[in-house]
Amino acid sequence: MKLQAQHPRPMNLRQVGRAVPRPPPPARPGRRALPGTAGSSPGYRLGWNLERWRGFTLIELLVVLAILGLLIGLVGPRFLGQLGGAKSKTAAIQIADLEKGLELFKLDVGRFPTNEEGLTALVRAPANARGWNGPYLKGSSVPDDPWGRPYKYSYHGSGEPEILSLGADGAQGGEGENADVRNTR
């Protein structure tokens, strides 16, 4: 009888023509599995050597943080600039809606509201406005500008009335987000 050398682990034929070592049994209940065994992690079944892979080095983490910092530095100001521009665009849209309400008021009453009546004439009937058929705006009050201040209204008896928002700073003039938004050019 010929003696054959025994392999340290019994072999299984799981695939045709290829012998695959049988994995060790999973850990018993109540005991923690040894690293690199069948009960320890899904990486064992995938063939990863998890004992050699411990984590990231400090240099790798610093490189990733530097790259993230550069991306935030490049993209952040553009994103914040878009947010500021959105308020100016919102003010321009609200002013256009107020202009439409003023045109409807003029069609019904025959004139634009006076400076004393202001934009509130679009939601509440003035005392001397015959033919008022409002309200000409949705809601029970005139909306404030996107920065929380009321719109300024002025009409001098001829031409078009002016509707004005003073921008983010609340002062005349300015550039960018602080620029005035108005219906007349």
Side-chain angles (χ1 to χ4, degrees):
M1 179 159 101
K2 190 174 179 185
L3 292 175
Q4 292 181 347
Q6 274 194 330
H7 193 274
R9 288 188 184 157
M11 302 294 278
N12 250 355
L13 288 176
R14 292 191 184 175
Q15 297 173 345
V16 178
R18 183 171 166 211
V20 179
R22 180 181 295 160
R28 286 183 275 166
R31 288 196 174 182
R32 209 171 131 222
L34 295 173
T37 61
S40 65
S41 71
Y44 175 80
R45 289 185 293 263
L46 296 174
W48 299 341
N49 187 354
L50 297 178
E51 287 186 20
R52 295 179 73 199
W53 188 75
R54 296 274 184 218
F56 297 108
T57 64
L58 181 61
I59 297 296
E60 291 169 332
L61 290 174
L62 289 175
V63 167
V64 168
L65 287 174
I67 291 171
L68 287 174
L70 286 172
L71 287 174
I72 290 171
L74 293 173
V75 175
R78 290 183 186 165
F79 179 72
L80 293 175
Q82 293 293 329
L83 288 178
K87 285 192 174 186
S88 296
K89 290 176 186 173
T90 302
I93 291 170
Q94 283 181 336
I95 287 174
D97 288 343
L98 292 172
E99 270 188 306
K100 290 175 187 170
L102 288 171
E103 290 294 330
L104 291 173
F105 180 92
K106 183 180 179 184
L107 285 174
D108 289 344
V109 179
R111 62 174 176 82
F112 286 114
T114 63
N115 289 335
E116 292 78 29
E117 294 168 344
L119 293 173
T120 56
L122 299 177
V123 290
R124 284 190 288 281
N128 59 352
R130 298 181 92 186
W132 190 86
N133 195 21
Y136 300 100
L137 299 176
K138 289 183 181 179
S140 59
S141 64
V142 178
D144 288 338
D145 70 5
W147 299 278
R149 291 184 291 276
Y151 286 102
K152 298 195 178 296
Y153 171 81
S154 64
Y155 181 64
H156 302 291
S158 63
E160 295 291 315
E162 181 182 41
I163 306 168
L164 171 71
S165 170
L166 295 176
D169 62 355
Q172 287 278 359
E175 294 179 10
E177 192 63 21
N178 294 331
D180 297 345
V181 182
R182 63 183 72 223
N183 63 330
T184 56
R185 301 284 177 239

